[in-house]
Amino acid sequence: MSLRHSLLALLVVVIWGANFVVIDAGQADVPPLVFLALRFLVVCVPAVFFLKPPAIGWRQLLLVGGFLSLGQFALLYLALALGMPPGLASLLLQTQVMFSLIVAALVLRERPTVRQLIGVLVGMVGLALVIIGHAQAAPWLPLIITLGAALSWSIGNVLARRAQASSGLSLVVWSGLVVPLPALALSLIVDSPPVVWEALTGLSWVAIASTVYTAVFASLVGYGIWNSLLARYPTSAVVPFTLLVPVVGILAAWLVQGEVPSMTELIGGAIMLTGLAAAVLQPRRPAALAHKSKVKQT
């Protein structure tokens, strides 16, 4: 990747890392699915009236929106509402790297190398330690739901890569149309109409500010850049940057909420990220050696 695109990927990392604390604060007095519907309503309106739909077909558009937006964030918001610590959520969500390799192998026929398989196995050992450390102090359900969000994200990553939309921003906006109505309908069923109405008519300034951040920065800016990079570069070149998201997420949760992971979680997280990095970071030959090799061939 070029330096400019690498810096853009790092910007997305910072935005997404802080996003977990922002979501957790914003939905303190708003049902998670209502909060999700508000986020994507702001994402899509009025932008949908100014952007042409990506030329990938409605089926691809619905699939990307269903997994990358609705599935991922509905599960993540629910997990946070059920008590998942934001910093730990930012770490566990990066299991999407492992899932992305598996889904890419199945869908795009991108066969994993031995190095990648070993990295995934190491990552799974770290994940097991994180789960053990988390289970000592918190219930399992939010953790399982967070892993479901990671799986949905990985499927969305691969679908976005396969679609290769010319405009990442257009893909975010138009695929985001999948979210508001289903999320609101589910909230009406799960939370009841009076609760939904009270939440919508009594939004706090924190909820409003959180909605703006998650919609404008995390979705429009973040995913607009992200999907453009996925369309330009191989999945294995883009996805590794998300390994830095939990570093920002854990730091933000510590600074804002005083969240301190257990030693088992920290060790497990370090092992998991090491394994995932080994799986997706490809070693490069020095330019001089590459040049010398070309000279010999000629």
Side-chain angles (χ1 to χ4, degrees):
M1 292 178 65
S2 68
L3 177 60
R4 175 175 174 271
H5 289 143
S6 296
L7 292 175
L8 285 174
L10 290 175
L11 174 62
V12 175
V13 165
V14 174
I15 292 172
W16 284 351
N19 197 40
F20 294 88
V21 171
V22 174
I23 293 172
D24 193 52
Q27 66 177 20
D29 54 357
V30 181
L33 293 175
V34 173
F35 197 56
L36 179 62
L38 288 174
R39 170 180 178 170
F40 278 90
L41 184 64
V42 176
V43 168
C44 299
V45 180
V48 72
F49 298 110
F50 299 95
L51 294 173
K52 293 181 179 180
I56 62 174
W58 287 104
R59 181 175 178 274
Q60 290 288 343
L61 198 62
L62 291 174
L63 285 173
V64 172
F67 285 101
L68 196 60
S69 299
L70 180 60
Q72 177 193 174
F73 290 109
L75 292 172
L76 175 61
Y77 279 40
L78 180 59
L80 290 172
L82 292 174
M84 189 69 189
L88 186 57
S90 71
L91 174 64
L92 286 178
L93 205 61
Q94 300 322 307
T95 55
Q96 60 88 15
V97 175
M98 289 189 297
F99 295 143
S100 290
L101 289 172
I102 297 170
V103 175
L106 295 174
V107 178
L108 302 180
R109 306 301 180 187
E110 295 180 359
R111 299 179 64 179
T113 64
V114 174
R115 176 191 178 92
Q116 289 174 326
L117 291 174
I118 293 174
V120 168
L121 290 175
V122 173
M124 291 177 67
V125 171
L127 174 62
L129 286 176
V130 172
I131 292 174
I132 292 171
H134 176 75
Q136 294 173 353
W140 283 74
L141 183 59
L143 186 147
I144 294 172
I145 294 174
T146 304
L147 292 177
L151 176 59
S152 186
W153 184 7
S154 69
I155 296 173
N157 272 340
V158 174
L159 291 172
R161 168 66 179 160
R162 185 176 67 177
Q164 293 187 333
S166 58
S167 170
L169 180 59
S170 176
L171 181 62
V172 169
V173 171
W174 281 89
S175 65
L177 288 173
V178 175
V179 179
L181 290 180
L184 189 60
L186 285 172
S187 187
L188 288 170
I189 295 172
V190 175
D191 301 305
S192 79
V195 172
V196 172
W197 177 253
E198 182 180 357
L200 290 174
T201 55
L203 291 174
S204 66
W205 70 268
V206 175
I208 294 173
S210 179
T211 299
V212 172
Y213 180 92
T214 57
V216 175
F217 293 99
S219 286
L220 291 176
V221 175
Y223 274 99
I225 295 172
W226 188 252
N227 288 336
S228 295
L229 294 176
L230 282 173
R232 184 183 294 265
Y233 297 100
T235 304
S236 59
V238 180
V239 169
F241 281 93
T242 61
L243 295 174
L244 297 175
V245 170
V247 177
V248 179
I250 292 173
L251 180 61
W254 173 60
L255 292 174
V256 176
Q257 297 185 345
E259 177 190 331
V260 180
S262 68
M263 184 57 64
T264 304
E265 290 172 342
L266 287 174
I267 294 174
I271 294 173
M272 189 185 86
L273 293 180
T274 300
L276 298 184
V280 296
L281 295 178
Q282 300 298 321
R284 295 182 179 180
R285 294 187 302 171
L289 291 178
H291 175 72
K292 189 178 294 184
S293 176
K294 289 182 179 179
V295 170
K296 288 182 177 180
Q297 290 177 0
T298 57

